[in-house]
């Protein structure tokens, strides 16, 4: 018999950049009995989700929900808007940008890949230059990964939108937010994005299995002329069925229960607070890395990710050996280096259902692992992170004196 939970005691620390830890309230929601996906109770569930999911994307436009992984949502974004042979401009920001390009090639598209060093976000100036040279408007879409999960570098989506507009180019803007949605501020409508791609297993705090396309009116207009084959992925039939709270095919009922509960949790906290929490944890994690005298993979501080931190290992030391030791000794999973970063980096996930004490436990595990593995570093990363969190808490209290006073008064009454 396979044992799925072989941890000796305490909780396993799942600190990869996704799938992330699923909150108890979401797990309990998923555990409900399955219902008739054509009945009135399901329609109420569907409308509860569809009426609120746009808030997370910061859009008033339709959000299409698929029973699929994020890769499915990548494919849906392309096949709904493009035709065979169309040129697509894509930025090489890391492993997942590379995978999206390979998918585009398999669909019969013609990606132009702007080279990158896997340490920076998309080069906005290079995007502008390529579009300005495309006077025949052969390029039909620009595809950018907002938060590159393999590198911990964030791309400037408003800057990309500005580059498209400055070039006077009609290309669609397609953005992958799989590891940034509900973690890093993202604004589908305000930033002029045409298709936003997302997945369930990161900031939305669900297991893998749901993915999303938020679609602009321009994207829906393009879909009427696009000729790439699509059946399951087609937007129009889904959006029409969604009007009454249903899907045209069998939906992932129990994952939708979980999504409804996850939306409750996110909207109760409030998106600005969610973004501030992730920023606080990103700052503290990077403070620890700097105190250890290790190098953050993302080379531009303005592009640091608040979802994860990718850490470069010193020459001659294997990141996977360190990860293996930490898993065996401390029951904690860290993210591996992907493709050409294999063995060179480990990634600390700090997104989703995550708080200050979870971060401190994570960083303590890393620091103990560095010592046991004999990786050259300075001690004190945990202390540096703790100081960053204390300073952030003090600043928050100073900015909300009335709330603090009210809390003290309630405690006095008790």
């Amino acid at each position: 018999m396979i044992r799925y939970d072989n941890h000796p005691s305490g909780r396993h620390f799942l600190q990869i950049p996704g799938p992330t830890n699923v909150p108890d309230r979401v797990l309990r929601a998923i555990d409900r009995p399955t219902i008739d996906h054509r009945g009135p109770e399901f329609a109420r569930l569907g409308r509860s989700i569809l009426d609120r999911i746009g808030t997370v994307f910061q859009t008033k436009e339709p959000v299409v929900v698929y029973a699929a992984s994020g890769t499915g949502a990548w494919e849906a974004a392309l096949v709904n808007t493009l035709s065979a042979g169309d040129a697509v401009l894509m930025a090489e920001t890391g492993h997942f940008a590379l995978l999206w390009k390979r998918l585009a090639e398999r669909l019969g598209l013609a990606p132009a890949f702007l080279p990158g060093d896997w340490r920076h976000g998309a080069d906005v100036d290079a995007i502008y230059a390529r579009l300005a040279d495309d006077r025949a408007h052969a390029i039909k879409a620009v595809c950018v990964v907002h938060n590159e999960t393999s590198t911990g570098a964030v791309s400037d989506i408003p800057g990309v939108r500005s580059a498209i507009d400055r070039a006077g180019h009609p290309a669609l803007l397609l953005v992958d937010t799989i590891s940034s949605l509900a973690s890093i501020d993202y604004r589908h409508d305000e930033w002029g994005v045409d298709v936003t791609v997302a997945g369930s297993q990161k900031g939305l705090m669900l297991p893998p299995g749901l993915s999303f396309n938020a679609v602009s009116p321009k994207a829906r207009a393009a879909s009427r002329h696009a000729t790439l084959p699509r059946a399951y992925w087609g937007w129009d039939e889904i959006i029409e069925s969604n009007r009454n709270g249903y899907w045209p095919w069998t939906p992932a009922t129990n994952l939708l229960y979980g999504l409804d509960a996850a939306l409750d949790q996110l909207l109760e906290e409030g998106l600005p607070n969610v973004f501030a929490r992730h920023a606080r944890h990103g700052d503290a994690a990077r403070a620890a890395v700097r105190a250890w005298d290790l190098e953050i993979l993302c080379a531009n501080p303005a592009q640091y990710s608040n979802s994860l931190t990718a850490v470069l290992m010193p020459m001659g030391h294997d990141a996977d050996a360190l990860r293996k030791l930490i898993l065996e000794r401390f029951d904690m999973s860290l993210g591996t280096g992907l493709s050409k970063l294999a063995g060179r980096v480990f990634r600390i996930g700090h997104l989703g259902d995550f708080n200050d004490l979870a971060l401190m436990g994570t960083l303590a595990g890393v620091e103990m692992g560095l010592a046991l593995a004999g990786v050259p570093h300075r001690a004190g990363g945990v202390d540096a992170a703790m100081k960053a969190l204390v300073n952030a808490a003090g600043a928050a209290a100073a900015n909300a004196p009335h709330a603090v006073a009210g809390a003290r008064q309630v405690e006095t009454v008790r």
Side-chain angles (χ1 to χ4, degrees), residues 34-57:
T34 303
I35 58 174
D36 175 10
H37 64 286
R38 298 289 178 238
E41 185 180 355
F42 183 87
R44 289 191 290 272
L45 171 66
R47 287 307 335 159
S48 175
I49 291 166
L50 296 165
D51 289 346
R52 298 185 298 156
I53 187 66
T55 303
V56 181
F57 289 82

Side-chain angles (χ1 to χ4, degrees), residues 280-290 292 309 348 350 359 363 385:
R280 183 172 73 248
H281 294 153
D283 287 343
R286 291 186 290 269
V289 176
R290 287 189 288 267
W292 291 326
T309 300
I348 304 169
H350 37 77
L359 177 64
L363 297 175

